[in-house]
């Protein structure tokens, strides 16, 4: 490091607050600090501002219908189509030749779809789906990697009013079957395979394996041919080649179906406290308005921008901020198929330079990896096109924030640390880049109109500096409406009712711990339920546990998250072997493979620690916190309340020796 670099780093290390650059503020979509008050004073009508970003087939009557809380409804009476809003209207307004999607394959091939091209392709695929028999409200499952056909299929579903349920391609065959069963989904769009670190990965075999466990008839499966000759595979009777079908329907015109604002746009399964994933339901009006508004206000997206979110569309971040938000605003959205270190650790920066990317949105885990690889990789490229940087998915440590700000943003770009969830549909807590001071490590204040607070176990707001729980005391348009076919679980998982003299108040609990400071900035501390966050990916420890105990030779298991330098958290398994089984590498390997088979490689345990007993309270509950501390190498607290305190030392010793 040169002396100049060292003094710059030392200065940044000291600095706790950063102001948005003047040049950014001057051009920001939202730069008037009065916006907070405006939303506060005019709530809920303030949300018309979000709805106004969309084109409605018929105007809504009521902004918020709260008669049946917490089953809130937004923009009721209004009708619209999401695909029309993301495509047709931009074409009608003269943007036919503007790039909508710029796709880059891992091997370096590129494809650009203008808004005109994308509309044609979406219409052809919408006509295909209709011909296959897909009707309005049928759930279509999309088990696809980062290929352009994924957003095309999403928009085609939206066009004909068929909700999609995207299953992350990295999930296992089991996970696909569970989700198709839960949604009674009879149609599937999938892919033969995709590239990872230069290798052609077989996706179709995994798909077929999953289909064997679907408990109802699957009418049709459409298979995108991504790999060509790199993978030989045959199609069974109800499987069709995507290109053949789309060629047959080329030039088709499919009128976008007018959907009620509250009609389901999509389902997205996410992990919770039980082994069963939750089917989060998002709607057409509220969700689209909310993602468009937050893309405009927080990501500062403008139609002439090239915007890149490096998430996978298989997660909510990709739905909201690769597909729906950016396309609703008519901008150019970049999609990259592969990993950031293939063929070299500079791949992302090469893509930024080549496409003159204006806005870049990624996860802290990626930033920590960039940091570890070193600044020489971004330094090879001209990143001066960047105007704004964002992060999402997990807490960002101030060091990583500053590295991002300095080495990617050249101290010229605001960084927005955006807190939100699958359930919230869009961002909830973050600075507005054209207005607020940034404090690395703290997401920021709640967005205008968002009633996020930090409360103690009694629901009372905590003092500045004290830890508590995030709670949201007002509904917002992007919120989930329910868990698919499970209204009871929706209430018990998320809502608490408080009655006062005037009214019944419902509050939403996201299950995150947090602190708040004197300026109302919220620092997220992490999940307070049995969910781990590995590289920004949300996984249920119960799901992993049931995979581990499904392995022959394992009697009992407890799964926890432990600190990890790059991933944020990693999965640790504590397992009791069955009598007659050797607690050795072979059993550990099988336990790990059991998790990979049942969920996918993202859930792969970092370590399996065998123990004759798990630490339990006198009432028989596993002391997970203690296991988390062991996994993270933390000081262990008081163990005297345990039924079996001795076991803790044994486990800690064992973990250390591994
Ligand atoms: O714990 C919070 C963490 O990710 C959880 C939501 O995960 P998921 O539904 O998969 O959505 C991820 C992408 C929106 C939250 O409960 N989380 C998300 N963003 C942040 C965060 N933790 C800290 N800071 C963030 N910016």
């Amino acid at each position: 490091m040169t002396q100049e670099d060292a003094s710059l780093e030392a200065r940044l290390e000291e600095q706790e607050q950063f102001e948005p650059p003047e040049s950014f503020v001057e051009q920001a979509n939202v730069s008037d600090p009065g916006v907070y008050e405006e939303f506060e004073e005019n709530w809920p009508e303030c949300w018309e501002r979000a709805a106004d970003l969309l084109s409605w087939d018929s105007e809504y009557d009521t902004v918020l219908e709260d008669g049946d809380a917490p089953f809130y409804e937004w923009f009721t009476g209004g009708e619209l189509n999401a695909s029309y809003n993301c495509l047709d209207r931009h074409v009608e307004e003269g943007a036919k030749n503007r790039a909508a999607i710029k796709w880059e394959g891992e091997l370096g091939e590129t494809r650009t779809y203008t808004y005109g091209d994308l509309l044609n392709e979406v219409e052809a695929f919408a006509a295909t789906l209709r011909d296959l028999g897909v009707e309005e409200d049928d759930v279509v499952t999309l088990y696809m990697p980062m290929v352009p056909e994924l957003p095309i299929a999403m928009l085609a579903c939206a066009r004909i009013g068929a909700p999609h349920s995207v299953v992350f391609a990295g999930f296992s065959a089991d996970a696909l079957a569970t989700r198709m069963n839960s949604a009674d989904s009879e149609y599937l769009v999938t892919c033969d395979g995709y590239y990872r670190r230069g290798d052609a990965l077989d996706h179709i075999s995994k798909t077929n394996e999953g289909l064997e466990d679907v408990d109802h008839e699957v009418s049709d499966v459409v298979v995108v041919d991504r790999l060509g000759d790199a993978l030989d595979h045959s199609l069974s009777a109800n499987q069709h080649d995507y290109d053949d079908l789309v060629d047959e329907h080329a030039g088709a015109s499919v009128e976008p179906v007018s959907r009620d604002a509250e009609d389901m746009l999509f389902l997205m399964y996410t992990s919770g406290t039980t082994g069963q994933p939750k089917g989060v339901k998002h709607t057409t009006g509220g969700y689209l308005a909310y993602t468009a508004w937050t893309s405009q206000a927080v990501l500062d997206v403008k139609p002439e921008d090239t915007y890149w979110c490096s998430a996978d569309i298989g997660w909510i971040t990709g739905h909201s901020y690769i597909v729906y938000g950016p396309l609703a605003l008519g901008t150019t959205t970049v999609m990259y198929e592969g990993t950031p270190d293939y063929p070299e650790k500079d791949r992302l920066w090469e893509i930024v330079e080549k496409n003159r990317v204006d806005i870049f949105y990624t996860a802290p885990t990626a930033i920590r990896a960039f940091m570890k690889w070193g600044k020489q990789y971004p330094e090879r490229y001209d990143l001066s096109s960047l105007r704004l940087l964002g992060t999402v998915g997990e807490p960002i440590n101030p060091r990583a924030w500053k590295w991002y700000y300095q080495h990617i943003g050249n101290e010229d770009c605001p960084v927005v640390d955006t807190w939100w969830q699958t359930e919230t549909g869009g961002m909830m807590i973050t600075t507005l880049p054209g207005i607020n001071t940034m404090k690395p490590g703290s997401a920021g204040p709640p967005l205008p109109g968002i009633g996020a607070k930090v409360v103690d176990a009694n629901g009372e707001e905590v003092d500045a500096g004290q830890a508590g729980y995030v709670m949201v005391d007002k509904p917002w348009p992007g919120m989930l409406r329910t868990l698919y076919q499970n209204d009871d679980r929706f209430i018990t998982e998320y809502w608490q009712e408080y009655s006062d003299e005037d009214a019944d108040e419902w509050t939403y609990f996201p299950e995150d711990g947090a602190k708040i400071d004197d300026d109302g900035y919220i620092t997220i501390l992490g999940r307070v339920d049995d969910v781990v966050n590995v590289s920004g990916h949300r996984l249920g420890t119960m799901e992993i546990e049931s995979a581990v105990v499904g392995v022959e030779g394992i009697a009992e298991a407890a799964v926890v998250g432990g600190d990890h330098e790059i991933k944020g958290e990693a999965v640790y398994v504590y397992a009791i072997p069955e009598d007659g089984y050797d607690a050795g590498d072979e059993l550990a390997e099988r336990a790990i493979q059991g998790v990979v088979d049942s969920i996918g490689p993202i859930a792969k345990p970092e370590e399996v620690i065998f123990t004759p007993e798990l630490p339990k309270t006198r009432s028989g509950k596993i002391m997970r916190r203690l296991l988390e501390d062991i996994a993270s190498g933390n000081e262990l607290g008081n163990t005297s309340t345990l039924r079996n305190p001795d076991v803790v030392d044994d486990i800690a010793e064992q973990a250390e020796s591994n």
Side-chain angles (χ1 to χ4, degrees):
M1 194 185 286
T2 65
Q3 215 168 6
E4 198 186 338
D5 280 349
S7 75
L8 185 65
E9 298 229 328
R11 173 171 65 70
L12 281 178
E13 205 175 328
E14 298 275 295
Q15 194 173 338
E16 286 176 356
Q17 300 201 355
F18 295 78
E19 294 306 324
E22 202 48 47
S23 56
F24 182 89
V25 175
E26 279 164 11
Q27 60 77 60
N29 284 336
V30 178
S31 58
D32 175 4
V35 65
Y36 288 94
E37 220 174 276
E38 214 179 282
F39 270 69
E40 182 80 34
E41 284 173 2
N42 192 25
W43 196 92
E45 280 70 31
C46 53
W47 289 113
E48 288 181 8
R49 183 159 168 172
D52 284 348
L53 295 172
L54 305 180
S55 301
W56 295 80
D57 299 339
S58 50
E59 277 302 311
Y60 50 89
D61 314 311
T62 317
V63 173
L64 170 66
E65 190 64 69
D66 61 1
D68 189 22
F71 297 97
Y72 297 97
E73 295 185 340
W74 288 88
F75 311 122
T76 53
E79 289 186 331
L80 76 168
N81 181 282
S83 139
Y84 176 83
N85 271 277
C86 291
L87 301 169
D88 309 56
R89 64 169 177 156
H90 305 313
V91 172
E92 286 163 14
E93 284 162 16
K96 183 166 172 250
N97 297 324
R98 184 187 306 147
I101 295 180
K102 282 190 166 181
W103 176 81
E104 172 126 355
E106 204 190 58
L107 303 184
E109 66 275 55
T110 56
R111 278 198 246 166
T112 298
Y113 292 82
T114 63
Y115 273 94
D117 300 335
L118 194 59
L119 175 57
N120 290 339
E121 187 87 10
V122 165
E123 287 196 89
F125 197 57
T128 300
L129 290 174
R130 274 231 176 109
D131 257 8
L132 292 175
V134 178
E135 291 181 3
E136 206 173 333
D137 294 319
D138 285 347
V139 176
V140 178
T141 302
L142 311 177
Y143 185 37
M144 297 164 86
M146 288 290 280
V147 289
E149 289 83 357
L150 174 53
I152 288 166
M154 291 163 78
L155 293 167
C157 287
R159 195 163 192 89
I160 60 171
H164 52 74
S165 166
V166 178
V167 178
F168 173 57
F171 275 144
S172 66
D174 281 5
L176 170 67
T178 312
R179 286 158 179 74
M180 286 188 77
N181 289 338
S182 164
D184 290 323
S185 174
E186 294 176 7
Y187 297 91
L188 174 68
V189 186
T190 185
C191 194
D192 60 344
Y194 51 104
Y195 288 97
R196 261 306 165 279
R197 296 211 164 80
D199 295 330
L201 290 195
D202 176 2
H203 188 64
I204 189 73
S205 302
K206 201 165 70 167
T207 305
N208 288 334
E209 208 184 301
L211 284 169
E212 280 173 23
D213 289 329
V214 174
D215 59 13
H216 53 269
E217 198 193 328
V218 175
S219 318
D220 293 279
V221 178
V222 180
V223 185
V224 173
D225 182 2
R226 162 76 185 110
L227 296 181
D229 294 339
L231 182 87
D232 275 340
H233 68 95
S234 51
L235 298 176
S236 57
N238 69 342
Q239 298 188 332
H240 320 274
D241 179 71
Y242 175 95
D243 290 324
D244 289 349
L245 294 180
V246 165
D247 286 349
E248 262 171 49
H249 294 86
S253 161
V254 177
E255 274 300 296
V257 171
S258 275
R259 297 279 281 169
D260 191 278
E262 281 294 304
D263 279 342
M264 172 156 63
L265 178 61
F266 67 88
L267 264 181
M268 163 125 266
Y269 283 87
T270 188
S271 298
T273 28
T274 71
Q276 205 53 23
K278 306 187 274 199
V280 168
K281 174 183 162 182
H282 282 295
T283 57
T284 313
Y287 171 84
L288 197 63
Y290 197 69
T291 52
W293 156 246
T294 45
S295 297
Q296 189 189 62
V298 183
L299 296 172
D300 200 48
V301 167
K302 301 177 171 67
E304 58 279 14
D305 283 334
T306 298
Y307 159 85
W308 184 17
C309 166
S310 74
D312 191 294
I313 295 176
W315 303 91
I316 193 70
T317 304
H319 277 52
S320 301
Y321 299 113
I322 296 177
V323 183
Y324 286 112
L327 293 179
L329 296 181
T331 196
T332 300
T333 183
V334 176
M335 265 180 89
Y336 171 51
E337 175 186 42
T339 54
D341 56 352
Y342 188 84
E344 270 225 66
K345 297 188 172 74
D346 60 359
R347 184 64 186 271
L348 302 192
W349 318 126
E350 182 203 336
I351 297 175
V352 169
E353 180 185 273
K354 191 169 80 186
N355 293 287
R356 305 295 299 153
V357 170
D358 298 274
I359 301 161
F360 181 64
Y361 190 34
T362 193
T365 198
I367 299 167
R368 288 190 293 265
F370 304 150
M371 216 168 122
K372 195 171 169 195
W373 298 339
K375 65 181 165 78
Q376 67 276 21
Y377 294 105
E379 275 175 356
R380 287 181 193 162
Y381 295 91
D382 174 9
L383 306 182
S384 62
S385 59
L386 290 169
R387 179 173 92 242
L388 174 74
L389 300 174
T391 82
V392 56
E394 44 175 334
I396 181 162
N397 44 313
R399 247 190 92 218
W401 192 104
K402 290 175 188 178
W403 192 92
Y404 193 35
Y405 178 73
Q406 182 184 358
H407 296 292
I408 308 302
N410 193 31
E411 299 186 60
D412 283 334
C413 306
V415 175
V416 285
D417 170 3
T418 62
W419 177 89
W420 57 292
Q421 308 182 296
T422 305
E423 292 86 342
T424 68
M427 301 158 179
M428 301 284 280
I429 303 176
T430 170
T431 51
L432 281 170
I435 297 177
N436 303 116
T437 302
M438 297 164 274
K439 301 186 191 182
S442 173
L447 279 173
I450 296 298
K453 311 223 153 50
V454 181
V455 298
D456 63 19
N458 300 318
E460 302 292 332
E461 282 187 59
V462 298
D463 293 334
Q466 300 296 308
Y469 306 93
V470 182
M471 173 268 252
V472 187
D473 68 2
K474 282 200 288 244
W476 64 101
M479 63 192 285
L480 80 165
R481 296 303 193 268
T482 191
L483 293 177
Y484 189 59
Q485 293 180 336
N486 205 340
D487 288 348
D488 291 344
R489 189 170 174 202
F490 168 66
I491 296 185
T492 52
E493 290 264 349
Y494 301 109
W495 298 92
Q496 278 186 20
E497 189 179 14
Y498 291 93
S499 298
D500 69 19
E501 286 149 30
D502 306 322
D504 289 338
E505 299 281 340
W506 288 87
T507 51
Y508 172 84
F509 279 85
E511 301 285 339
D512 268 24
K515 285 191 309 196
I516 189 159
D517 73 8
D518 287 324
D519 300 323
Y521 276 49
I522 295 175
T523 296
I524 302 294
L525 301 171
R527 300 285 302 196
V528 294
D529 58 358
D530 296 324
V531 163
V532 281
N533 192 328
V534 179
S535 303
H537 295 146
R538 176 166 158 187
L539 303 168
T541 52
M542 297 298 166
E543 281 169 74
I544 306 175
E545 262 165 39
S546 75
V548 175
V549 296
V551 169
E552 188 193 322
I554 307 260
E556 200 182 335
V559 169
V560 299
D563 296 344
H564 189 280
E565 195 193 342
I566 304 287
K567 299 177 184 174
E569 276 189 291
V571 172
Y572 289 83
V573 175
Y574 296 86
I576 305 179
E578 261 175 54
D579 281 350
Y581 284 86
D582 182 29
D585 290 349
E586 198 262 340
L587 188 56
E589 270 314 308
R590 284 200 292 112
I592 291 174
Q593 197 53 43
V595 174
V596 172
D597 289 346
S598 141
I599 299 169
I602 41 160
K604 189 173 179 179
E606 195 70 13
E607 211 174 309
V608 178
I609 299 145
F610 289 111
T611 167
E613 267 183 88
L614 293 167
K616 290 190 176 163
T617 61
R618 286 180 212 284
S619 61
K621 273 182 78 175
I622 298 173
M623 282 282 277
R624 290 168 187 285
R625 180 133 300 279
L626 211 64
L627 295 173
E628 283 166 16
D629 284 338
I630 295 174
S632 305
N634 295 340
E635 282 282 302
L636 301 183
N638 185 357
T639 57
S640 63
T641 55
L642 290 179
R643 190 164 66 186
N644 49 356
D646 296 345
V647 73
V648 175
D649 296 334
D650 292 350
I651 298 178
E653 233 169 72
Q654 163 101 37
E656 242 165 60
S657 69
N658 273 7

